[in-house]
């Protein structure tokens, strides 16, 4: 499942490169004259065909056409106004910088289109300087356009032969693999739930964790292939409705499975005493059969909520709930009820409060009129780095000055990236590919056909190299291009001299790239990770407030605006969390230089806790929404339910807000000694002005952190209220199915509240360890440190704690 798809993609890359090589080397002289830049044909092919489907290549062909039209219009106009003979390295640098900025600014333009256009701009203007007055104003850009088009067409042909690699087929395969993985996870979770000892349960949970990691990659693969599906069949509405947005549909399934895992991971001992094992062994096989049938139907792209299952006996369903429903409830009862709530959620998904991902392109029309600051920064980086690379590249070698600009033009990304790691991978890849090309050239110097054949294993090898942690996509692409430029062309001079010149030019371009990136984004990834983590705590605090506001202060939100605010806050929290994970990955691979080592272990632990917190917030929202609907259906007074929950959650919101506010403040502190020094200095200045003696208050009457005793008190109070509520539900006249669902919601709600406090305390411990490792000589107390930050801000309201 791993190497076979990569091998197939590599073979299609081989076919595309073979088409380019055959056309540029063996076609008639007139055709070869028009295809004057075969190197860029190879580059275009690699940009489009790697890991692509047929729909992706159609999209790549369109982006190539769009980029070519842009560059053709601007370059012909520029050559006509200035005149090829007047182009100097300085003028070419200015033309590259201005045109690159204009191409890179529009947010609606796809990144592939921008990369191809930037590469064409470099070739047009550097070629004009190299050829001088011999440059034809129209035909020179036409040669660049035709060479680019050859690479795009070769990519489409390679994806059509010997049979098309359709995006819809790939998504269907991925969907089947994900469903099989989900079914295996479900089986293992049910086995762990009814395990007779901790060893058997731990084995099942451990085996399921591997499928969990695998399932996340499959969902990402489905998301990446969605656009390709629309390019293959854009006209069929049924196709669009049933085969698009699959990750969104399976995300609901994934949430339920993560809930099952969360409940089992929270169990301290097995077997679960709240569960009647004999009863569960009778009930769960039937539930497993129903769920597995729904999972199998998901392979056919049927909406999950519309899937049919055999009719179930309501008494059996109610009996399964009674198996864990013993009053009064204990904490283990809540755990078991939450497990069964997730099973029911898996069988009957509720999507009302699952926030949808916002469309990134919904405001793309306005972005053409007023570009965002992010687009302006990206365009400025492209403009300056390409301008500098072209200038120094031309000064070093006028004939081969292309490569300093091309090396970075085809690899720009709109998001942050680990610049030193990426530059190192590109440099090593360029060197490896060039060395391989030189060796093969001298071995098969007299046989051009054998030189082309020598490229085949290298293309396959570099296709796998793109998935390695050491080189990644940047290193793999640079390696394959390095060999293609030597073995796939002719009449470019002595190969050894060309390789040395190109490596030097590539180094010039990478140095310009690194310098410009540092100037525009000097903050290290570790620093940005701490900032995003602090902002994530703030968003999580707001989520808790708006989620439970209708419950704890029902009279303050009659219109339900708090629920809408919660959904927006949860979306923002997910965006923050995604950025935080990205910075963690970047900080792990960036060099430390003279900075303290990045505490990756603590940040990964914090990331896991924050991820579970986000899941718990979604579960609580689903439980509250379902509980309100059940109360309406059963005629049960909803105000009484919310009132008793309010009594059980007394002090919960205040303590959670205080804890997350404390985390938000202390996580940005790296140097405690510096905080103490600045605080003392500010206090002295402030007290001299006020005519008082210097004194700094670093204590509070109540601890801002969530303490274990407080969490136990809140959990105990809530458990008492839940036992009272479930007694009222049992006495109420409604059918058993409604009673069972209310029991699952109430029990699951109690578990999620307790688990949310446990995760908060774990994040407090992780934050303390994170700060301790950066301040080994200082005693770390989060409460005291939070008070110091407050004192510093009170003395200087505009002060910012330097992270």
């Amino acid at each position: 499942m791993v190497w076979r798809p990569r091998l197939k993609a590599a073979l299609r890359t081989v076919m595309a490169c073979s088409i380019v090589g055959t056309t540029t080397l063996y076609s008639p002289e007139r055709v070869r004259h028009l295809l004057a830049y075969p190197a860029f044909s190879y580059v275009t092919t690699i940009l489009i065909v790697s890991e692509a489907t047929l729909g992706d290549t159609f999209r790549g062909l369109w982006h190539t056409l769009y980029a070519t039209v842009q560059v053709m219009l601007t370059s012909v106009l520029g050559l006509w106004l200035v005149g090829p003979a007047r182009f100097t390295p300085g003028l070419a640098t200015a033309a590259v910088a201005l045109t690159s900025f204009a191409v890179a600014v529009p947010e609606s333009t796809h990144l592939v289109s921008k990369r191809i256009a930037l590469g064409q701009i470099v070739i047009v203007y550097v070629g004009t300087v190299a050829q001088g007055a011999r440059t034809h104003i129209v035909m020179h850009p036409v040669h660049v356009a035709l060479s680019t088009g050859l690479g795009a067409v070769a990519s489409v042909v390679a994806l059509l032969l010997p049979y098309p690699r359709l995006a819809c087929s790939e998504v269907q395969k991925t969907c089947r693999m994900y469903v099989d993985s989900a079914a295996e996870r479900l089986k293992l979770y049910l086995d762990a739930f009814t395990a007779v000892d901790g060893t058997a349960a731990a084995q099942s949970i451990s085996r399921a964790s591997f499928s969990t990691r695998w399932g996340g990659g499959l969902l990402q693969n489905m998301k990446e292939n969605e656009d390709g599906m629309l390019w293959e069949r854009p006209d069929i509405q049924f196709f669009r409705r049933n085969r698009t947005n699959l990750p969104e549909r399976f995300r609901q399934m994934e949430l339920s499975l993560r809930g099952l895992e969360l409940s089992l991971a929270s169990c301290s001992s097995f077997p679960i005493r709240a569960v009647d094992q004999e009863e569960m062994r009778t009930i769960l096989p039937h539930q497993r059969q129903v769920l597995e049938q729904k999972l199998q139907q998901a392979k056919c792209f049927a909406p999950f909520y519309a899937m049919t299952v055999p009719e179930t006996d309501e008494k059996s369903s109610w009996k399964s709930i009674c198996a864990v429903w013993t009053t009064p409830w204990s904490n283990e009862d809540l755990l078991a009820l939450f497990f069964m709530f997730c099973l029911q959620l898996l069988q009957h998904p509720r999507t009302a409060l699952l926030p949808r991902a916002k469309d990134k392109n919904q405001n793309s029309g306005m972005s053409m009129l007023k570009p965002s600051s992010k687009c302006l920064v990206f365009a400025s980086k492209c403009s300056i780095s390409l301008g500098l690379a072209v200038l120094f590249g031309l000064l070093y070698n006028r004939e081969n000055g292309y490569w300093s600009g091309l090396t970075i033009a085809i690899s720009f990304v709109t998001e942050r990236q680990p610049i030193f790691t990426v530059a190192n991978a590109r440099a090593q890849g360029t060197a490896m590919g060039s060395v391989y090309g030189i060796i093969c050239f001298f071995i098969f110097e007299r046989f051009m056909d054998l030189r082309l054949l020598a490229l085949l294993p290298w293309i396959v090898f570099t296709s796998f190299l793109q998935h390695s942690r050491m080189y990644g996509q940047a290193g793999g692409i640079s390696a394959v291009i390095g060999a293609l430029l030597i073995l796939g062309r002719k009449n470019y001079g002595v190969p050894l001299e060309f390789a040395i010149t190109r490596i030097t030019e590539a180094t010039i371009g990478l140095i310009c790239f690194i310098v410009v990136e540092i100037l525009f984004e000097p903050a290290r990834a570790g620093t940005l990770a701490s900032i995003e983590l602090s902002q994530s705590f703030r968003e999580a605090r707001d989520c808790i407030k708006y989620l439970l506001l209708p419950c704890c202060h029902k009279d303050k939100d009659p219109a339900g605006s708090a629920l809408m605010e919660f959904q927006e806050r949860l979306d923002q929290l997910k965006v923050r969390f995604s950025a935080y994970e990205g910075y963690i990955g970047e900080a792990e691979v960036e060099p430390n230089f003279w900075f303290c080592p990045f505490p990756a272990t603590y940040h990964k632990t914090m990331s896991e806790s924050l991820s579970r917190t986000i899941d718990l917030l979604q579960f609580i929202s689903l439980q509250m929404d379902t509980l309100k609907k059940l109360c309406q259906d059963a005629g049960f007074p909803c105000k009484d339910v919310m009132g008793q929950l309010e009594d059980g959650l007394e002090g919960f919101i205040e303590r959670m807000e205080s804890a997350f506010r404390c985390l938000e403040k202390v996580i940005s502190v790296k140097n405690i000694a510096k905080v103490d020094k600045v605080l003392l200095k500010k206090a002295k200045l402030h007290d001299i002005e006020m005519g008082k003696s210097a004194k700094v208050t670093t204590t509070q009457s109540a601890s801002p952190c969530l303490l274990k005793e407080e969490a136990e008190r809140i959990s105990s109070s809530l458990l008492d209220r839940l036992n009272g509520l479930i007694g009222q539900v049992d006495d109420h006249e409604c059918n058993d199915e409604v009673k069972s669902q209310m029991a699952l919601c109430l029990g699951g709600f109690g578990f999620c509240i307790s688990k949310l406090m446990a995760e908060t305390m774990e994040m407090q411990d992780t934050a303390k360890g994170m700060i301790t490792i950066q301040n080994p000589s200082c005693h770390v107390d989060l409460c005291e440190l939070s008070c110091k930050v407050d004192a510093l801000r009170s003395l200087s309201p505009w002060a910012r704690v330097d992270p």
Side-chain angles (χ1 to χ4, degrees):
M1 290 188 291
V2 176
W3 66 266
R4 187 181 296 176
R6 294 179 183 176
L7 180 60
K8 290 181 179 179
L11 294 177
R12 291 190 183 272
T13 304
V14 167
M15 181 178 295
C17 292
S18 300
I19 294 172
V20 172
T22 303
T23 305
T24 56
L25 292 173
Y26 301 110
S27 59
E29 178 64 27
R30 187 173 181 179
V31 175
R32 281 183 285 157
H33 176 72
L34 292 174
L35 303 173
Y37 297 95
F40 200 67
S41 299
Y42 286 119
V43 170
T44 305
T45 298
I46 298 299
L47 287 177
I48 295 176
V49 80
S50 299
E51 303 281 332
T53 61
L54 183 60
D56 294 330
T57 58
F58 284 151
R59 182 182 58 185
L61 183 62
W62 165 252
H63 292 321
T64 301
L65 178 62
Y66 182 75
T68 302
V69 171
Q70 278 185 306
V71 176
M72 279 285 294
L73 294 176
T74 56
S75 60
V76 170
L77 180 62
L79 293 177
W80 177 72
L81 289 174
V82 178
R86 296 190 182 94
F87 264 89
T88 62
L91 190 56
T93 298
V96 168
L98 292 175
T99 313
S100 299
F101 184 87
V103 167
V105 161
E107 189 174 2
S108 57
T109 305
H110 195 273
L111 182 60
V112 172
S113 184
K114 291 181 180 181
R115 286 177 173 178
I116 293 174
L118 293 174
Q120 290 177 331
I121 290 169
V122 171
I123 294 176
V124 167
Y125 291 109
V126 174
T128 301
V129 174
Q131 299 174 20
R134 295 179 289 116
T135 305
H136 195 282
I137 293 177
V138 176
M139 291 309 298
H140 176 50
V142 167
H143 291 163
V144 177
L146 292 177
S147 300
T148 307
L150 173 62
V153 172
S155 300
V156 175
V157 175
L159 267 296
L160 284 170
L161 300 176
Y163 56 87
R165 183 175 184 258
L166 299 175
C168 57
S169 300
E170 294 301 314
V171 169
Q172 192 169 10
K173 292 176 185 177
T174 307
C175 175
R176 290 171 179 170
M177 287 191 289
Y178 176 80
V179 169
D180 291 339
S181 173
E184 177 65 16
R185 288 165 64 186
L186 176 63
K187 176 181 178 300
L188 293 170
Y189 291 147
L190 291 175
D191 291 341
F193 186 68
T194 56
V196 295
D197 56 63
T199 303
Q203 290 177 349
S204 297
I205 296 173
S206 177
R207 288 173 58 192
S209 63
F210 174 78
S211 298
T212 301
R213 295 190 296 269
W214 178 248
L218 293 175
L219 287 178
Q220 182 62 29
N221 184 274
M222 275 190 272
K223 183 67 176 177
E224 292 172 353
N225 284 322
E226 273 193 316
D227 289 341
M229 294 167 61
L230 296 179
W231 278 90
E232 290 170 359
R233 300 288 297 276
D235 57 326
I236 301 180
Q237 292 300 318
F238 174 82
F239 183 91
R240 181 187 296 266
R241 182 176 64 252
N242 286 322
R243 284 175 167 77
T244 58
N245 207 23
L246 284 173
E248 183 72 17
R249 290 166 48 193
F250 283 114
R251 186 171 66 96
Q252 305 162 19
M253 185 190 302
E254 185 69 20
L255 179 64
S256 302
L257 291 171
R258 289 201 303 268
L260 297 176
E261 181 182 22
L262 183 62
S263 62
L264 293 172
S266 304
C267 186
S268 57
S269 62
F270 291 88
I272 301 175
R273 286 178 296 175
V275 176
D276 186 333
Q277 297 293 323
E278 295 298 327
E279 193 68 37
M280 283 294 100
R281 290 191 181 95
T282 303
I283 299 300
L284 285 184
H286 173 71
Q287 295 296 326
R288 176 184 298 179
Q289 180 183 7
V290 171
L291 290 170
E292 287 180 349
Q293 288 182 5
K294 296 200 75 170
L295 289 173
Q296 292 302 317
Q297 290 175 350
K299 293 181 179 180
C300 304
F301 299 105
F304 203 66
Y305 57 82
M307 297 174 187
T308 58
V309 294
E311 293 185 0
T312 58
D313 192 325
E314 290 186 2
K315 293 183 179 180
S316 298
S317 176
W318 174 238
K319 197 175 183 181
S320 67
I321 304 301
C322 290
V324 295
W325 186 0
T326 56
T327 52
W329 282 347
S330 65
N331 288 327
E332 284 197 349
D333 289 303
L334 299 183
L335 183 151
L337 284 164
F338 177 69
F339 184 91
M340 301 185 73
F341 171 80
C342 293
L343 284 180
Q344 189 185 59
L345 190 63
L346 189 62
Q347 185 173 349
H348 304 289
R350 306 181 183 99
T351 61
L353 294 179
L354 283 177
R356 297 179 178 272
K358 295 182 179 180
D359 187 3
K360 296 181 180 180
N361 297 321
Q362 65 182 24
N363 295 323
S364 60
M366 291 298 296
S367 65
M368 298 179 65
L369 301 177
K370 186 179 180 181
S372 63
S373 58
K374 181 180 178 181
C375 292
L376 291 174
V377 169
F378 173 72
S380 300
K381 289 194 295 185
C382 293
S383 173
I384 297 174
S385 57
L386 275 181
L388 292 175
V390 167
L391 175 62
F392 293 119
L394 285 172
L395 293 177
Y396 174 75
N397 188 303
R398 183 166 294 199
E399 295 297 326
N400 291 289
Y402 307 98
W403 304 112
S404 58
L406 272 180
T407 301
I408 58 177
I410 62 174
S411 53
F412 280 117
V413 295
T414 54
E415 306 295 335
R416 269 185 65 103
Q417 56 182 337
I419 54 175
F420 289 101
T421 303
V422 170
N424 178 58
R426 288 175 188 161
Q428 291 192 37
T430 301
M432 283 196 308
S434 301
V435 170
Y436 178 84
I438 292 171
I439 292 174
C440 293
F441 182 89
F442 284 109
I443 293 176
F444 307 110
E445 184 173 2
R446 299 181 180 179
F447 307 98
M448 187 65 195
D449 295 341
L450 294 180
R451 280 168 25 196
L452 287 176
L453 290 176
L455 278 171
L456 306 186
W458 184 252
I459 294 175
V460 174
F461 170 72
T462 53
S463 295
F464 282 90
L465 197 67
Q466 293 182 39
H467 298 276
S468 66
R469 296 185 62 184
M470 180 178 292
Y471 291 98
Q473 189 179 37
I477 290 178
S478 298
V480 68
I481 291 176
L484 282 168
L485 297 181
I486 294 176
L487 298 177
R489 299 186 303 153
K490 58 184 180 181
N491 301 328
Y492 55 86
V494 180
L496 182 59
E497 294 179 0
F498 170 76
I500 294 174
T501 302
R502 183 173 179 271
I503 291 174
T504 306
E505 292 278 358
T507 304
I508 292 173
L510 292 175
I511 291 174
C512 296
F513 164 76
I514 291 173
V515 170
V516 172
E517 285 284 343
I518 292 176
L519 289 176
F520 274 89
E521 299 187 64
R524 302 179 71 242
T527 301
L528 295 176
S530 298
I531 294 174
E532 285 296 335
L533 179 58
S534 177
Q535 297 299 319
S536 297
F537 287 142
R538 184 185 65 184
E539 297 295 346
R541 183 190 71 204
D542 291 340
C543 281
I544 294 173
K545 180 178 70 173
Y546 287 109
L547 175 61
L548 296 176
L549 182 65
C551 177
C552 296
H553 303 284
K554 51 187 178 297
D555 296 333
K556 295 185 179 181
D557 186 44
S561 59
L563 193 56
M564 297 174 59
E565 186 69 23
F566 163 75
Q567 295 184 29
E568 294 180 3
R569 295 291 183 177
L570 186 57
D571 280 338
Q572 295 175 16
L573 174 58
K574 288 187 174 184
V575 172
R576 293 286 187 186
F577 177 69
S578 178
Y580 173 54
E581 287 190 312
Y583 289 136
I584 291 176
E586 181 182 342
E588 281 187 288
V589 297
E590 72 176 0
N592 292 321
F593 293 119
W594 53 85
F595 301 99
C596 295
F598 179 70
T601 303
Y602 286 100
H603 275 283
K604 287 183 178 179
T605 303
M606 189 71 79
S607 173
E608 293 171 358
S609 296
L610 197 55
S611 176
R612 290 191 291 268
T613 299
I614 294 173
D615 288 342
L616 288 169
L617 291 172
Q618 293 184 89
F619 282 123
I620 293 174
S621 68
L622 288 168
Q623 289 155 358
M624 292 186 63
D625 183 65
T626 304
L627 193 60
K628 291 177 182 178
K629 293 179 180 177
L630 289 173
C631 288
Q632 294 175 358
D633 294 341
F636 198 83
C638 186
K639 289 186 177 181
D640 293 347
V641 174
M642 293 302 165
Q644 295 194 47
L645 290 179
E646 176 184 352
D647 295 338
L649 291 175
E650 182 180 359
F652 172 77
I653 290 184
E654 290 77 8
R655 298 308 302 145
M656 293 296 290
E657 282 189 315
S658 175
F660 277 104
R661 187 177 290 108
C662 174
L663 287 171
E664 178 187 348
K665 289 183 289 189
V666 303
I667 206 65
S668 60
V669 177
K670 284 190 175 180
N671 193 325
I672 296 179
K674 183 178 178 181
V675 171
D676 291 337
K677 184 178 179 180
V678 174
L679 182 61
L680 183 60
K681 182 179 179 181
K682 293 283 186 182
K684 287 181 178 180
L685 291 175
H686 183 267
D687 292 329
I688 290 174
E689 294 174 357
M690 300 295 294
K692 301 177 181 179
S693 59
K695 184 177 180 181
V696 179
T697 302
T698 58
T699 59
Q700 290 183 357
S701 57
S703 171
C705 298
L706 178 64
L707 303 179
K708 183 178 180 181
E709 296 77 13
E710 294 174 331
E712 290 177 348
R713 177 186 60 80
I714 294 173
S715 296
S716 177
S717 174
L718 179 61
L719 185 60
D720 292 340
R721 298 298 176 180
L722 291 176
N723 279 316
L725 273 174
I726 202 62
Q728 297 178 25
V729 170
D730 190 27
D731 296 336
H732 189 71
E733 294 183 0
C734 58
N735 60 57
D736 289 346
E737 183 180 358
V738 173
K739 290 182 178 181
S740 67
Q741 291 183 16
M742 292 187 71
L744 293 180
C745 289
L746 291 171
F749 179 81
F751 171 83
C752 290
I753 292 294
S754 299
K755 187 63 178 175
L756 191 58
M757 291 188 289
E759 292 295 340
T760 303
M761 291 187 289
E762 183 175 343
M763 286 189 284
Q764 290 176 167
D765 294 338
T766 306
K768 182 177 180 180
M770 194 183 300
I771 299 172
T772 301
I773 200 174
Q774 296 173 337
N775 299 269
S777 61
C778 299
H779 171 69
V780 178
D781 184 287
L782 296 186
C783 300
E784 181 181 349
L785 187 57
S786 174
C787 295
K788 288 180 179 179
V789 175
D790 287 338
L792 181 62
R793 290 175 176 172
S794 64
L795 293 174
S796 181
W798 296 277
R800 176 180 175 269
V801 179
D802 185 8

